[in-house]
Structures are given as C-alpha cells and as structure tokens.
Amino acid sequence: MYGIILAGGSGSRLWPLSRELYPKQLLSLNSDKSLLQTTFERLNSFLPADKILSITNTKHAANVKMQVDKKSLVLSEPISKNTAPAIAISVKYLTDKTNSDPVIIVMPSDLQIDDTVKFQDAVNNALKTVQEGFLVTFGVKPTYPETGFGYIKPDKKGKVEKFIEKPSAVAARSYLKDGGYFWNSGIFMFKASVFLKELQNCAPGIYDLLNKFDFSKSDSVPYTEFDKMPNISIDYAVMENSDKIAMVELKSDWKDLGSWQSIYDVSKKDENGNVFVGHVLDKNSKGSLVYASSKLVATIGLEDTVIVETEDAILACKKDRAQEVKEVYETLKQQHDDTQMVHKTVYRPWGFYTVIAAGKGFQTKIIHVNPGQKLSVQSHNFRSEHWVVLSGTAKVVLESRDYILSPGHSIDIPVKAIHSLQNPFTEDVEVIEVQKGDVLSEDDIIRYEDIYGRV
C-alpha cells in the first residue's frame, strides 16, 4: 500500500495566518507540529516513509521536503490544478516508479484525526471493498447540520447513491435528522488500475494527458503538459460520475481544519469558552478566538468573535461567518495585494527572513541563517544587495571568492553577481539586507547550486 498526501492547497479560509506562499498545511495551528507533519505521521504509523508521497506546488516544495521524512517522496506541480489532476499524476508516478498496481490511500493535509487506532480500523475495513474493484470514500457521521462540508448518501450495502455539495442549512438539518447521510471526509482509497480505469471513463481529458507523463525516467512534471489539465476536483471529475464508488464509515474523530471556526472547535477553551493564543489581554469576552502572533491584542466584551493578528494584517469577524474569509483572500488576490501572498516573516529551509521596510526601489530585510545552513548560490538580474552582519559569523561567497564577516562588517553584492550567504558555524547568523532596484521580487533569483534541491 502507498499513501498520497494532498499538500498543495492555499488555505484561503485561514487568512491572514495562511498565505499563498506559506499555506495552512505548513503551519502549526493547534500543536507544535504542522498539519502536514501530523498527516504524515498518521500514514507513517502503518506505512513506511518511502511509501508516502506528498504532492504539492513547486513554490511549496522546499518547505514540504523540510517538514517530512527524507525517505519519503515529494512530487511538485508546476501550477495548481485542483485535486483531480494532482491525484492523477500522483497515481501515474507511483505506478511508473513501482511498475505495479498498488493499493493507494489519498489524504488531505488539513485534517485532525487523533484516534489512529480507529482510523487504521477503517483503512483495514476498506481493503476488501478496494480489492473487489471499488473506489472507496470514507464517510463521517454528522454531529450537527454543517453547511461547509460535502455529504455522501450510501445505500444499505455501502455503495454510494449520490454526493451532495455544501448544502443549505435547511437541507443539512434534514440530512442530520434522516441519519443516512455522512460528511465527505475527503479521504479515498483504491487500486491504481481501478482508479485509472474510472478516470478514463469519467474524465478522459485528464486520462489522455497522463499518457504524456513518463516518471520511469524523470521525477519532474512538465509545465506545458500539466498546464493543459482541467482545473477540477476529484469529486466532480470522478466520484460523482462513477458507478464504482463505495463508502466505509470512519468512526474515529475527524475535523476538517479549514476555517477559524474549526480551529476554535478543536482548541482548548477557558471557563468562558474563549481560545486565546499569543499575547492576549481580555476582559469579559465569551465564546471567542483571539490569535495574536506578534503584538499585544486587548479585547473587551467580545462574543462569538474571531480576531487574528499578524505582522501586516488583522482579521475580525463573527465566528459563524468565518467561511467568508475566503472572499477577503480572493479580493486581495485580485488586487495583487502582498498580504494575500506572503508574510513579512518568511521561513526557508535555511532559516527565515523578515521584511522590515519597503518602498519604491528599495527593500530592507533581516536574514536569519541557522547553524550549518546556507542559501543557494544565486544571482539577480534586477537588484543589487548590501549585507551588514548583525550577529554570528557569516561566510559570503562572491564571484568564487570566500569572505568571512564578523558583526559590523558589510559587503556589496552587485547586479548579476553570483553569490551565496552561508553559516558553516555553530551560532546563528543575522544579517541586514538592503535591496536596491526597479524589480524587487523573489522571482528574480537564478539558482546555480542548492543543497535543498531548488535549482
């Protein structure tokens, strides 16, 4: 058996903590581990690391690789195309690499499932149905009339009669009362050959394109071919159109951590039903979530409210309208606003950087390089840089020459010069970087060498 983790989403409903370049699956929201890491550990409890594949976007690949076991597999999409193409190329990758017809379980990276014993029981229960030639979806018994989830209606033998997209409140209440409807967990299990056959029947446009991918000789996904894939979910492409779908009930706990409401639901609360994270000073609030990431947040008399503070954005909304945060995210995206794209503090495999000032033609950052780490050997076509070492001892490679700089020393990096900032020592390094140029973008990086595989 192999596992596929879908780790390429944007996490738009968890803005402003989740950003396009550092989405929710990479964040530690209610534990000391990220959603991706807890998903990996869930699969790793019964699958070896080298049989777990994480499919993500190219812009997230380095961070995904940093968070999962080095023995596991990471496949990078050059562009986001929703879950159907992501699952399709992942299945093709595994069949090409193994030259076999494995059983595969597919999981989103944003679920909380604490009861791994009951989760594994559900997987074991599904194996027989999978071997009989069905695509299995896992259903969760509803406990309240949720309108933000999809629903599944199985018959008495477990074969799925229909899928229902996010219903109205009236419909959700009727499904709960009926007792024969289940939440769609987003987890699937199947034999690779059965999935590919149903993909051919239900989504021939995706299936035909798969023939142009050959992973027996390469791990890369060619942009020109993948860009032709339709942007469609696995539910719309296959599950709702196939007559080979069966449901197995997932009797463990299950939470879709897709909104601030769901984060509130799974978090430990005080005697007034509040969840406070970070530096929060409150007086007489009830049933509220306040998340402070960088500043003191003082609140008085809130009721059923969400407040999320980050370095460059604040969200305030009623808890029962948390699903609408996605609309704010999409508006910011349309406006090309950076608060949708990236945090002021951005984490990299080598450490992190924080943007402390920016204006026309300049940008200033503090760069933190962890011991034993180094940035890629790179150049920039449109900007020069000036580095001043604040703490630690930095090694700078500039046009094939090495410089060792202690605190207070500086160096200029001209436009198009090949360079690297490195920390081969045991103490952290902090550097102030001043960028100057007409184009100041993370896209203006040409990599020549990189220990994290980003060339």
Side-chain angles (χ1 to χ4, degrees), residues 293-339:
S293 69
S294 64
K295 302 178 183 68
L296 164 66
V297 176
T299 52
I300 302 173
L302 298 179
E303 289 190 12
D304 300 321
T305 301
V306 172
I307 305 287
V308 182
E309 175 273 332
T310 64
E311 293 173 293
D312 58 350
I314 297 173
L315 167 71
C317 70
K318 297 298 291 183
K319 199 167 60 186
D320 61 2
R321 300 187 66 177
Q323 297 283 351
E324 297 176 42
V325 173
K326 183 175 182 178
E327 298 174 20
V328 175
Y329 178 95
E330 293 299 334
T331 299
L332 293 171
K333 189 172 184 177
Q334 292 170 10
Q335 295 174 349
H336 303 288
D337 192 308
D338 282 348
T339 52

Side-chain angles (χ1 to χ4, degrees), residues 81-348:
K81 284 290 185 176
N82 217 315
T83 55
I87 294 172
I89 64 165
S90 298
V91 172
K92 182 68 161 61
Y93 181 91
L94 292 176
T95 55
D96 283 356
K97 290 295 186 183
T98 63
N99 194 28
S100 65
D101 182 20
V103 171
I104 296 172
I105 182 169
V106 180
M107 291 199 70
S109 56
D110 57 356
L111 301 180
Q112 178 171 307
I113 299 174
D114 294 326
D115 193 337
T116 56
V117 173
K118 287 186 178 178
F119 173 71
Q120 289 181 36
D121 286 344
V123 172
N124 292 332
N125 290 339
L127 270 173
K128 181 181 177 183
T129 307
V130 166
Q131 296 293 357
E132 291 172 351
F134 286 91
L135 307 178
V136 170
T137 182
F138 293 84
V140 177
K141 199 72 173 176
T143 54
Y144 61 95
E146 173 62 57
T147 59
F149 300 155
Y151 284 71
I152 303 168
K153 179 69 167 70
D155 63 20
K156 292 182 179 180
K157 294 182 178 180
K159 191 171 181 180
V160 174
E161 292 182 353
K162 60 180 176 179
F163 286 86
I164 302 101
E165 281 303 303
K166 299 172 183 177
S168 66
V170 173
R173 285 194 292 270
S174 71
Y175 297 158
L176 182 65
K177 185 177 180 181
D178 180 278
Y181 290 79
F182 294 77
W183 287 333
N184 185 351
S185 72
I187 306 171
F188 308 103
M189 191 168 156
F190 45 72
K191 288 186 70 174
S193 59
V194 176
F195 173 80
L196 293 173
K197 181 64 176 178
E198 292 308 292
L199 188 70
Q200 184 180 24
N201 293 336
C202 302
I206 297 177
Y207 180 83
D208 292 344
L209 284 169
L210 279 186
N211 294 325
K212 299 183 179 181
F213 295 84
D214 183 2
F215 294 113
S216 62
K217 300 177 181 177
S218 172
D219 289 343
S220 64
V221 180
Y223 174 87
T224 53
E225 298 303 330
F226 193 71
D227 188 44
K228 298 173 185 176
M229 291 279 190
N231 191 332
I232 188 170
S233 71
I234 193 65
D235 290 322
Y236 281 137
V238 177
M239 298 297 169
E240 295 183 9
N241 301 304
S242 171
D243 60 0
K244 293 282 188 180
I245 311 298
M247 193 204 81
V248 169
E249 184 177 354
L250 179 62
K251 295 182 179 180
S252 68
D253 61 304
W254 174 91
K255 286 289 184 182
D256 177 357
L257 300 184
S259 69
W260 287 112
Q261 172 73 61
S262 63
I263 298 300
Y264 172 85
D265 289 342
V266 302
S267 299
K268 186 177 180 180
K269 302 166 184 65
D270 67 12
E271 64 275 11
N272 293 315
N274 297 309
V275 176
F276 298 138
V277 180
H279 195 184
V280 178
L281 178 62
D282 177 74
K283 185 176 181 181
N284 299 329
S285 292
K286 296 179 180 179
S288 295
L289 167 64
V290 183
Y291 194 112
S293 69
S294 64
K295 302 178 183 68
L296 164 66
V297 176
T299 52
I300 302 173
L302 298 179
E303 289 190 12
D304 300 321
T305 301
V306 172
I307 305 287
V308 182
E309 175 273 332
T310 64
E311 293 173 293
D312 58 350
I314 297 173
L315 167 71
C317 70
K318 297 298 291 183
K319 199 167 60 186
D320 61 2
R321 300 187 66 177
Q323 297 283 351
E324 297 176 42
V325 173
K326 183 175 182 178
E327 298 174 20
V328 175
Y329 178 95
E330 293 299 334
T331 299
L332 293 171
K333 189 172 184 177
Q334 292 170 10
Q335 295 174 349
H336 303 288
D337 192 308
D338 282 348
T339 52
Q340 166 269 330
M341 178 67 67
V342 66
H343 286 279
K344 283 185 174 292
T345 296
V346 177
Y347 291 91
R348 292 286 189 251

Side-chain angles (χ1 to χ4, degrees), residues 26 204 402 438:
L26 301 174
D402 293 352
D438 295 330

